[in-house]
Amino acid sequence: MVKISRLSSVTRIITFSFMNHFKFVITERLFFINAIITPLGLSILFYFIYANNGPNEIALGVVKAGLLGLWGANIWGASFILQGEKRLGTLDYLMVSPKSIYLVLIGKSVAVVIASNISVIISFVWIQIFVGSIWEFFDLVQVIVIILASSFSFSCIGLMVGVFFINFRQPEILVQFLTYPIYIISGIAVQIELFPILIQFISKTVPLYWSQRGLFEIITNKMSITTVIFLLMIGVINLIIGSLILKKVERRARWTGDFSKY
């Protein structure tokens, strides 16, 4: 009975944090821009860029716009989870509450992941309108696997960034460095083979590169499990780094007895 009670308590915390944050992100202006406006505009732009190519290339180009939206929305949403609590003045209470702060972070992260997938849905709608049935180009099960792995990886990076720069008063400035430069070196806008060897190596550490590579593999009927493994591995590494940083911040705050400065 004790285990059931604990499980019920944990589930309730995660569920309520998920519901509250989901309502917040889908009504937040910057999230709306990253998750809806950006992929909407880029889907149309990429369609005209690839218009003279075959239907496979057009479909891949349009869905890449959805990946850019997925990346931007996840990075912005996840990195602002702790910053949002800090601005609301609730971070201190979460740190000292009897229940772990990680339960709240899990719920909020899941909310960001689900909400950010609006970007991919928009790109698939445009494929349906511009090119034809999306099922002619993508296998649904494989797409779900890639998108879930991508969402996990993107969200973990966002959390790590949010924890690492918890003291920074304008994190939106830092988030910009993880959007537009990443758009370029990820291989979505420019093939990484055109970059110097060092930049190519950096590109292969970016999960957005593996996401677009996974979709390319699906559309060419040769999806590799390596892509999914790399996405999950990058996500786990960033999740561990973020967890270690947060624990250090928590220990420092408890040691000094001051939860208003970290």
Side-chain angles (χ1 to χ4, degrees):
M1 291 298 293
V2 176
K3 290 183 178 180
I4 295 177
S5 178
R6 288 179 179 175
L7 179 61
S8 175
S9 176
V10 168
T11 303
R12 185 168 62 252
I13 294 172
I14 293 175
T15 301
F16 277 104
S17 62
F18 163 79
M19 293 174 61
N20 290 332
H21 200 63
F22 185 79
K23 292 176 183 177
F24 167 74
V25 295
I26 62 175
T27 57
E28 177 62 29
R29 177 176 57 86
L30 288 176
F31 187 88
F32 180 82
I33 292 173
N34 282 310
I36 298 179
I37 300 301
T38 298
L40 186 65
L42 289 178
S43 292
I44 299 174
L45 176 63
F46 282 18
Y47 167 75
F48 285 107
I49 290 176
Y50 291 96
N52 293 326
N53 297 306
N56 282 8
E57 289 80 3
I58 296 175
L60 183 60
V62 173
V63 81
K64 282 182 178 182
L67 283 181
L68 293 179
L70 183 67
W71 169 264
N74 260 296
I75 292 298
W76 182 90
S79 64
F80 271 76
I81 287 176
L82 285 172
Q83 286 290 340
E85 298 293 345
K86 187 175 182 180
R87 289 178 178 179
L88 291 172
T90 54
L91 183 59
D92 298 347
Y93 300 106
L94 289 176
M95 286 285 193
V96 298
S97 64
K99 299 297 183 179
S100 174
I101 188 177
Y102 297 101
L103 300 179
V104 176
L105 294 182
I106 290 172
K108 289 178 177 288
S109 298
V110 174
V112 170
V113 167
I114 293 178
S116 62
N117 275 278
I118 295 173
S119 304
V120 180
I121 295 173
I122 289 174
S123 66
F124 279 129
V125 170
W126 279 118
I127 291 174
Q128 192 77 27
I129 295 173
F130 287 145
V131 191
S133 176
I134 59 174
W135 315 123
E136 296 179 8
F137 310 104
F138 298 100
D139 179 88
L140 178 60
V141 175
Q142 293 181 354
V143 167
I144 291 175
V145 171
I146 286 294
I147 295 304
L148 287 178
S150 300
S151 299
F152 169 76
S153 187
F154 297 173
S155 183
C156 289
I157 291 178
L159 279 173
M160 188 275 293
V161 171
V163 173
F164 192 80
F165 293 106
I166 195 172
N167 273 324
F168 202 68
R169 296 190 177 186
Q170 293 180 309
E172 58 272 11
I173 296 176
L174 296 172
V175 171
Q176 299 305 316
F177 289 99
L178 291 173
T179 50
Y180 302 110
I182 296 298
Y183 288 176
I184 297 175
I185 68 172
S186 64
I188 287 184
V190 181
Q191 293 183 354
I192 68 169
E193 287 77 15
L194 299 176
F195 298 145
I197 299 298
L198 178 59
I199 302 300
Q200 290 185 38
F201 175 79
I202 296 174
S203 296
K204 292 180 180 179
T205 65
V206 176
L208 189 56
Y209 163 77
W210 293 98
S211 297
Q212 62 94 20
R213 174 172 167 170
L215 289 174
F216 173 77
E217 291 171 348
I218 292 174
I219 210 168
T220 54
N221 299 314
K222 57 173 184 177
M223 179 181 175
S224 171
I225 192 64
T226 304
T227 301
V228 178
I229 291 174
F230 266 91
L231 282 169
L232 295 177
M233 183 176 67
I234 293 172
V236 169
I237 290 173
N238 282 276
L239 190 62
I240 292 173
I241 294 173
S243 176
L244 293 175
I245 295 173
L246 183 58
K247 287 181 179 179
K248 182 178 180 180
V249 168
E250 186 177 3
R251 286 196 303 268
R252 185 188 305 165
R254 291 183 183 277
W255 177 259
T256 60
D258 185 355
F259 285 90
S260 61
K261 298 179 180 178
Y262 299 98

